[in-house]
């Protein structure tokens, strides 16, 4: 599929711009970040605009309940076993949380279970009951109601499919299925 | 206890004497009574008359002490002169969940000192929730030349150095069973302390330990212990090493594998499969850390006669579990992680008609954001396929009253029903009502119920039901439940066989606590934490019941533990 190919780093200058964002703030965004060929959302910077802040609030998952001592009642030994497994899995970058805008709960998947993007997308579609449109390098998932994105090791928001699969599973920290309207600009060549 | 027994038996002494003169020498009575194994039967026997009391105490070889503070080691030794095997339990169960303060007590050492003097031929020691130091383990190892079996479950205070002492000195050891302890794992060299001439080991369980052991030493040890029937390895043992061990120990009845994940060649895989299937006696399988679909098929042939499968350290998906269970038709006990989800449990219902026990543990219990695990649907599916189910431990994220009613209708023989709806105080998710009717159905339908753990949103009605219907209930665990003192009063006023009651974070106060005075005499223990009991309530209780050991901690006592039948003195430490 189209997104399996390596992309030409020089030709594509990748930046995220929200509808209505000025050229200036975009430039600001790209200069405060490390030089990279990645897209960045303005609200990932310290200089985020008010609009971006509001957006952040919406993105935040429901606040985690304070953990109660000794609950659920699981023996320390088993608890420690789980923690070890969790830490191991997380440092390997295999288990990632998946959230979808509008859904109250997250899911967790093991990226190692999938051989490539088609399998992953199919699994996400089944999990969250949505359909993703056709991907193209130029236009991303143009026309989709929902768009799969992910947060990588550097904290940048990326479109699922833009980088080769191996690079993706090694750098993906968290998946987020965004509303198509909000993802406009992700994946657009300026 | 002794004096009241003598008083009671005065009347029957005469009749006993005449019976004795006519037919029964003491030796015969002792011989007959020595065949009695159940400690409850023995308790009953000892109450018949003075002769039977004596015959029983002379013939008893195993003593079970459910609460180490209920009696002193001196009194035990005085009553039972011929003990070879001791089982002791210490801390309240909630210590497993970090609710009991450190240094609470339950130290074994004082017991060992008495045993060394009075029971030099002691063979077995099984401890649960006791504190045991390396010094104590060393003392044990050198004090009892006939020592055979050591089992430590949920204990703490020791390190692998203590195990080294046991391996070094216990020449007749048949059993070393180290399970789920707070052990300081310094290294694996303890295993190498078994002498080369040592061949008697039958049970070796070190699954709990994380350090690498010397595999060569282990291989040699397993090779020369021809009577070994239980071998539970730790994670450090690889699949390839497992195969080598099994080739020399096909007689194993219980196997705990090490890590079940490794790159194997086809030939290595086939060798593993062959070694596993050669274990014709294998009825219990555990370990299987990090097992994935890739190598589970190696187990298929070995599972034909399996009765207990513990997958609680392998986060399997539903499809993998289903495929595996298709090969386990004889399964009676199954432990899994909730990663198998409801679909996996449907497979349980379809493949395991003989199932008696199911435990579903949460794979990700502390991450509140994640939607995970099993729901009422999985439990219901199992109940339809497994009518013999009588023991369940089920961690889930949602439940309904209707589902539980269906479950107990399908499986009315529950003896142990432990349901943990993981979000405290959560109602029936469909009707938004409390879960009272669910537990009402359980106690009304399951007349054999011995152990119950409740959860979800519960009013006092749940406890009314329990008090009224749970005639055989011995152990009750309650958390984040109830509305008023009335709830606890119902339980203490009903449940004729109640022995252990543990309560946390419930609105039960002094009135409830003090309503159980009569009840506490027949109970083993009561635990209350984060309830509405006050220090004055505890003082009043202690005053009213001088034979009870009442401990309270904190200003508004955060922890109150009530240990009955105080015949020794509890050494109070400064908290």
């Amino acid at each position: 599929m189209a997104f399996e190919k390596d992309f030409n780093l020089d030709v594509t200058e990748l930046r995220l711009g929200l509808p209505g964002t000025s050229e200036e703030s975009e430039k600001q965004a790209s200069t405060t970040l490390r030089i990279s060929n990645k897209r960045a959302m303005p609200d990932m910077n310290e200089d985020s605009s008010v609009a971006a802040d509001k957006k952040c609030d919406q993105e935040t998952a429901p606040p985690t309940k304070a953990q109660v001592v000794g609950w659920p009642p699981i023996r320390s030994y088993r608890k420690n076993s789980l923690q070890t497994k969790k830490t191991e899995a997380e440092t390997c970058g295999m288990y990632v949380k998946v959230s979808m805008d509008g859904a109250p709960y997250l899911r967790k998947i093991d990226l190692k279970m999938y051989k490539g993007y088609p399998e992953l997308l199919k699994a996400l579609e089944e999990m969250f009951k949505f359909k993703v449109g056709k991907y193209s390098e130029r236009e991303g998932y143009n026309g989709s109601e929902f768009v799969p994105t992910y947060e990588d090791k550097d904290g940048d928001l990326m479109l699922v499919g833009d980088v080769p699969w191996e690079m993706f599973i090694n750098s993906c920290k968290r998946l987020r299925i965004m509303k198509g309207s909000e993802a406009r600009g992700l994946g657009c060549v300026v | 206890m002794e004096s009241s027994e003598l008083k009671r038996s005065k009347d029957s002494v005469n009749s006993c004497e005449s019976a004795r003169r006519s037919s029964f020498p003491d030796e015969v009575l002792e011989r007959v009574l020595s065949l009695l194994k159940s400690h409850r039967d023995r308790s009953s026997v000892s109450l018949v008359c003075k002769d039977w009391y004596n015959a029983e105490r002379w013939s008893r070889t195993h003593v079970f002490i459910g609460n180490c503070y209920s009696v002193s080691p001196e009194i035990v030794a005085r009553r039972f002169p011929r003990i070879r095997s001791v089982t002791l339990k210490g801390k309240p169960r909630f210590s497993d969940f970090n609710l009991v303060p450190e240094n609470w007590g339950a130290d074994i050492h004082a017991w060992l000192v008495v045993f060394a003097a009075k029971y030099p031929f002691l063979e077995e020691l099984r401890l649960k929730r006791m504190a045991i130091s390396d010094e104590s383990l060393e003392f044990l190892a050198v004090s009892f030349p006939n020592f055979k079996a050591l089992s430590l479950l949920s204990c703490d205070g020791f390190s692998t150095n203590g195990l080294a002492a046991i391996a070094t000195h216990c020449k007749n050891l048949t059993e070393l069973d180290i399970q789920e302890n707070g052990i300081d794992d310094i290294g694996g060299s303890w295993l190498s302390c078994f002498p080369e001439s040592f061949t008697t080991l039958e049970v070796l369980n070190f699954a709990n330990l994380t350090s690498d052991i010397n595999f060569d030493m282990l291989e040699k040890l397993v090779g020369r212990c021809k009577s070994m029937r239980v071998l539970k390895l730790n994670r450090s043992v690889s699949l390839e090493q497992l195969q080598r061990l099994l080739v020399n120990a096909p007689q194993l009845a219980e196997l705990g594998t090490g890590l079940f994940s490794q790159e194997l060649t086809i030939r290595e895989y086939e060798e593993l499969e062959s070694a596993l299937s050669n274990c014709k006696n294998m009825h219990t399988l555990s370990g299987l850390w990090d097992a994935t679909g890739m190598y589970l098929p190696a187990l298929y042939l070995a599972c034909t006669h399996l009765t207990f499968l513990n997958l609680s350290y392998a986060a399997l998906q539903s499809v993998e579990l289903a495929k595996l269970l298709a090969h386990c038709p004889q399964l009676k006990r199954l432990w899994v992680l909730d990663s198998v989800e409801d679909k996996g449990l449907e497979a349980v219902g379809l493949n395991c008609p003989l199932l008696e026990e199911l435990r579903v543990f949460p794979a990700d219990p502390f991450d509140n954001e994640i939607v995970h695990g099993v729901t009422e649907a999985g439990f219901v599916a199992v109940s339809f396929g497994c009518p013999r189910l009588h023991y369940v431990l089920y961690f889930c994220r949602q439940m309904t009253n209707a589902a539980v009613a269906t479950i107990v209708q399908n499986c009315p023989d529950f003896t142990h029903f432990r349901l943990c709806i993981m979000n405290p105080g959560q109602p029936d998710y469909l009707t938004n009502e409390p879960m009272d009717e669910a537990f009402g159905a359980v106690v009304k339908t399951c007349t054999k119920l011995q152990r119950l753990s409740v959860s979800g949103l519960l009013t006092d009605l749940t406890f009314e039901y329990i008090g009224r219907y749970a005639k055989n209930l011995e152990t009750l665990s309650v958390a984040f439940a109830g509305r008023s003192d009335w709830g606890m009063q119902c339980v203490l006023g009903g449940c004729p066989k109640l022995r252990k009651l543990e309560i946390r974070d419930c609105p039960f106060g002094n009135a409830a606590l003090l309503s159980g005075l009569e009840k506490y005499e027949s109970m083993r223990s009561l635990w209350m934490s984060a309830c509405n009991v006050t220090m004055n309530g505890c003082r009043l209780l202690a005053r009213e019941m001088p034979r009870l050991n009442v401990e309270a901690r904190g200003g508004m006592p955060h922890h109150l533990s009530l240990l009955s039948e105080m015949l020794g003195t509890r050494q109070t430490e400064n908290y």
Side-chain angles (χ1 to χ4, degrees):
Chain A
M1 294 190 83
F3 45 70
E4 304 273 27
K5 288 193 311 213
D6 286 337
F7 51 83
N8 189 331
L9 303 183
D10 296 326
V11 166
T12 52
E13 193 183 357
L14 307 172
R15 242 178 288 143
L16 172 69
L18 290 177
T21 321
S22 69
E23 270 281 316
E24 282 228 26
S25 71
E26 275 193 272
K27 283 219 175 82
Q28 213 173 25
S30 57
T31 50
T32 51
L33 289 172
R34 275 164 265 132
I35 310 294
S36 74
N37 57 327
K38 294 190 216 155
R39 307 181 191 102
M41 268 189 78
D43 64 359
M44 293 295 184
N45 306 327
E46 292 154 46
D47 302 318
S48 26
S49 61
V50 174
D53 275 343
K54 276 211 185 110
K55 205 170 175 341
C56 258
D57 284 339
Q58 286 164 10
E59 293 173 24
T60 316
T64 48
K65 301 180 186 82
Q67 206 172 305
V68 180
V69 172
W71 190 265
I74 298 166
R75 279 202 187 137
S76 310
Y77 171 69
R78 189 174 286 282
K79 215 166 43 162
N80 293 338
S81 267
L82 294 176
Q83 295 292 82
T84 320
K85 246 187 7 176
K86 209 174 161 181
T87 321
E88 276 175 17
E90 275 172 4
T91 46
C92 291
M94 286 183 289
Y95 280 91
V96 293
K97 293 184 185 178
V98 190
S99 66
M100 177 151 123
D101 288 356
Y105 288 107
L106 310 190
R107 297 298 298 264
K108 203 170 197 181
I109 60 171
D110 177 5
L111 292 177
K112 276 260 188 292
M113 298 265 288
Y114 308 102
K115 297 199 193 70
Y117 286 117
E119 272 190 29
L120 173 65
L121 290 174
K122 185 150 175 286
L124 291 176
E125 283 178 330
E126 271 176 33
M127 217 180 266
F128 288 96
K129 314 278 185 279
F130 73 101
K131 276 265 171 266
V132 81
K134 203 159 181 292
Y135 172 90
S136 77
E137 248 182 59
R138 240 167 45 89
E139 294 177 356
Y141 293 89
N142 199 24
S144 302
E145 203 200 333
F146 286 102
V147 169
T149 67
Y150 70 100
E151 186 184 318
D152 73 0
K153 278 193 288 218
D154 302 325
D156 298 325
L157 191 75
M158 310 274 285
L159 194 66
V160 168
D162 275 349
V163 303
W165 176 252
E166 281 301 318
M167 193 188 295
F168 165 70
I169 58 174
N170 285 318
S171 60
C172 172
K173 279 282 154 237
R174 192 179 166 120
L175 277 162
R176 186 185 148 201
I177 300 168
M178 288 172 71
K179 291 229 172 59
S181 49
E182 287 173 14
R184 207 156 293 147
L186 258 181
C188 283
V189 175
V190 171
Chain B
M1 198 173 167
E2 279 184 51
S3 52
S4 63
E5 228 126 67
L6 286 172
K7 279 187 203 140
R8 217 180 308 153
S9 65
K10 245 186 194 162
D11 289 338
S12 44
V13 159
N14 286 334
S15 43
C16 257
E17 293 257 16
S18 52
R20 192 157 67 103
R21 256 179 262 127
S22 61
S23 51
F24 246 48
D26 289 339
E27 299 79 32
V28 174
L29 187 55
E30 270 178 47
R31 184 73 180 87
V32 169
L33 294 182
S34 70
L35 300 172
L36 271 181
K37 299 298 174 203
S38 147
H39 65 270
R40 274 181 210 183
D41 286 344
R42 284 185 160 272
S43 268
S44 310
V45 157
S46 68
L47 296 175
V48 169
C49 66
K50 186 178 162 199
D51 280 348
W52 282 49
Y53 176 86
N54 280 322
E56 193 280 311
R57 61 186 270 263
W58 280 96
S59 66
R60 196 189 288 218
T61 56
H62 170 243
V63 69
F64 168 85
I65 298 159
N67 173 352
C68 65
Y69 286 112
S70 66
V71 68
S72 74
E74 290 83 3
I75 289 180
V76 172
R78 197 159 66 224
R79 179 171 170 186
F80 302 113
R82 291 210 192 132
I83 296 296
R84 301 273 160 137
S85 165
V86 176
T87 303
L88 265 168
K89 295 187 181 180
K91 301 183 202 178
R93 193 178 75 96
F94 278 178
S95 71
D96 284 349
F97 319 127
N98 299 330
L99 290 177
V100 173
E102 299 259 323
N103 305 319
W104 183 84
D107 197 293
I108 191 62
H109 202 81
W111 291 84
L112 290 178
V113 169
V114 171
F115 292 160
K118 304 291 184 184
Y119 302 142
F121 300 113
L122 188 70
E123 294 175 4
E124 297 183 2
L125 188 64
R126 296 173 200 286
L127 305 180
K128 189 169 183 181
R129 293 192 199 101
M130 299 284 296
I132 179 162
S133 66
D134 285 344
E135 289 70 35
S136 293
L137 282 170
E138 178 138 15
F139 181 77
L140 168 67
V142 301
S143 305
F144 305 99
N146 264 13
F147 195 74
K148 295 204 167 93
L150 179 64
S151 166
L152 300 175
L153 173 56
S154 221
C155 296
D156 61 14
F158 64 108
S159 78
T160 38
N161 288 337
L163 299 184
I166 299 286
T168 306
H169 299 291
C170 298
K171 306 274 185 277
N172 295 309
L173 201 68
T174 59
E175 179 176 337
L176 184 59
D177 186 2
I178 310 297
Q179 278 189 67
E180 300 196 16
N181 300 290
I183 183 175
D184 189 4
D185 193 344
I186 298 173
S189 56
W190 61 272
L191 189 84
S192 307
C193 293
F194 285 110
E196 297 234 337
S197 54
F198 176 73
T199 60
T200 51
L201 209 55
E202 296 170 23
V203 174
L204 178 61
N205 177 1
F206 63 98
N208 185 198
L209 305 179
T210 45
S211 295
D212 291 355
I213 39 96
N214 181 327
F215 180 72
D216 275 338
M217 300 293 284
L218 176 64
E219 195 174 10
K220 290 197 185 111
L221 178 67
V222 171
R224 60 179 190 267
C225 293
K226 295 295 176 201
S227 303
M228 194 173 277
R229 49 185 175 80
V230 176
L231 179 61
K232 298 192 180 172
L233 309 165
N234 72 357
R235 280 182 74 118
S236 76
V237 178
S238 71
L239 278 179
E240 193 241 320
Q241 290 172 333
L242 173 66
Q243 187 265 338
R244 282 161 61 184
L245 288 173
L246 289 180
V247 161
N248 281 326
Q251 78 282 1
L252 284 177
E254 297 185 28
L255 174 66
T257 73
L259 203 64
F260 214 77
S261 161
Q262 187 185 342
E263 297 280 322
L264 292 178
T265 65
I266 295 189
R267 176 145 165 261
E268 284 168 339
Y269 173 88
E270 283 172 356
E271 283 177 346
L272 176 65
E273 189 181 35
S274 164
L276 282 163
S277 66
N278 273 338
C279 297
K280 305 282 183 217
N281 295 336
M282 196 164 77
H283 59 69
T284 295
L285 184 60
S286 61
L288 300 167
W289 278 286
D290 297 356
T292 60
M294 182 118 73
Y295 295 127
L296 282 177
L299 295 171
Y300 290 172
L301 293 174
C303 287
T304 342
H305 303 293
L306 217 56
T307 55
F308 179 20
L309 181 56
N310 181 353
L311 293 167
S312 63
Y313 293 103
L316 296 191
Q317 307 294 308
S318 54
V319 173
E320 295 165 328
L321 178 67
K323 285 193 193 147
L324 179 57
L325 290 180
H327 296 88
C328 307
Q330 309 286 328
L331 217 54
K332 289 195 178 148
R333 300 173 65 195
L334 177 64
W335 296 16
V336 291
L337 283 176
D338 66 1
S339 55
V340 303
E341 298 192 335
D342 290 332
K343 272 198 79 136
L345 295 181
E346 279 171 36
V348 174
L350 288 172
N351 288 295
C352 306
L354 302 179
L355 200 70
E356 297 176 16
E357 174 179 329
L358 175 68
R359 301 196 196 196
V360 182
F361 295 95
D364 224 332
F366 304 112
D367 204 331
N368 289 316
E369 293 181 315
I370 305 285
V371 154
H372 60 69
V374 295
T375 70
E376 78 280 9
F379 199 168
V380 169
V382 174
S383 75
F384 274 112
C386 309
R388 297 192 196 183
L389 200 62
H390 69 83
Y391 191 122
V392 144
L393 169 61
Y394 199 81
F395 285 86
C396 59
R397 65 174 198 265
Q398 66 188 42
M399 189 51 64
T400 67
N401 288 307
V404 176
T406 304
I407 288 161
V408 293
Q409 193 169 43
N410 292 337
C411 304
D413 296 329
F414 273 113
T415 54
H416 298 68
F417 193 91
R418 303 165 63 187
L419 178 62
C420 182
I421 303 165
M422 288 193 277
N423 190 9
Q426 184 174 296
D428 176 321
Y429 81 97
L430 285 181
T431 65
N432 249 342
E433 282 171 8
M435 296 295 296
D436 297 333
E437 294 308 317
F439 294 104
V442 172
V443 293
K444 284 176 199 165
T445 315
C446 306
T447 52
K448 300 180 200 162
L449 196 70
Q450 290 168 29
R451 182 171 178 183
L452 179 65
S453 298
V454 299
S455 59
L457 179 66
L458 301 175
T459 70
D460 289 339
L461 183 57
T462 295
F463 303 102
E464 277 186 42
Y465 286 143
I466 293 173
R468 199 182 321 155
Y469 293 103
K471 298 291 179 212
N472 286 310
L473 193 67
E474 297 177 22
T475 305
L476 178 63
S477 296
V478 186
F480 306 102
R483 290 268 160 86
S484 73
D485 285 336
W486 174 240
M488 188 171 164
Q489 282 166 339
C490 285
V491 171
L492 292 172
C495 299
K497 295 202 184 160
L498 195 67
R499 303 271 294 141
K500 289 175 279 183
L501 180 56
E502 44 187 35
I503 303 173
R504 63 164 293 180
D505 294 272
C506 296
F508 303 139
N510 294 334
L513 179 68
L514 297 169
S515 73
L517 297 186
E518 273 176 32
K519 190 59 149 225
Y520 300 143
E521 292 205 310
S522 59
M523 283 174 63
R524 184 191 293 176
S525 63
L526 165 70
W527 168 279
M528 292 180 80
S529 60
C531 297
N532 293 343
V533 171
T534 69
M535 219 28 139
N536 275 334
C538 297
R539 286 196 192 103
L540 193 56
L541 173 64
R543 204 161 57 229
E544 292 295 312
M545 307 288 295
R547 281 155 54 91
L548 288 186
N549 180 20
V550 180
E551 298 177 20
R553 196 171 118 80
M556 175 89 158
H558 191 69
H559 303 287
L560 157 68
S561 80
L562 208 69
L563 308 166
S564 68
E565 299 168 10
M566 255 308 301
L567 294 174
T569 42
R570 164 114 155 91
Q571 191 158 19
T572 46
E573 283 125 34
N574 291 325
Y575 294 123

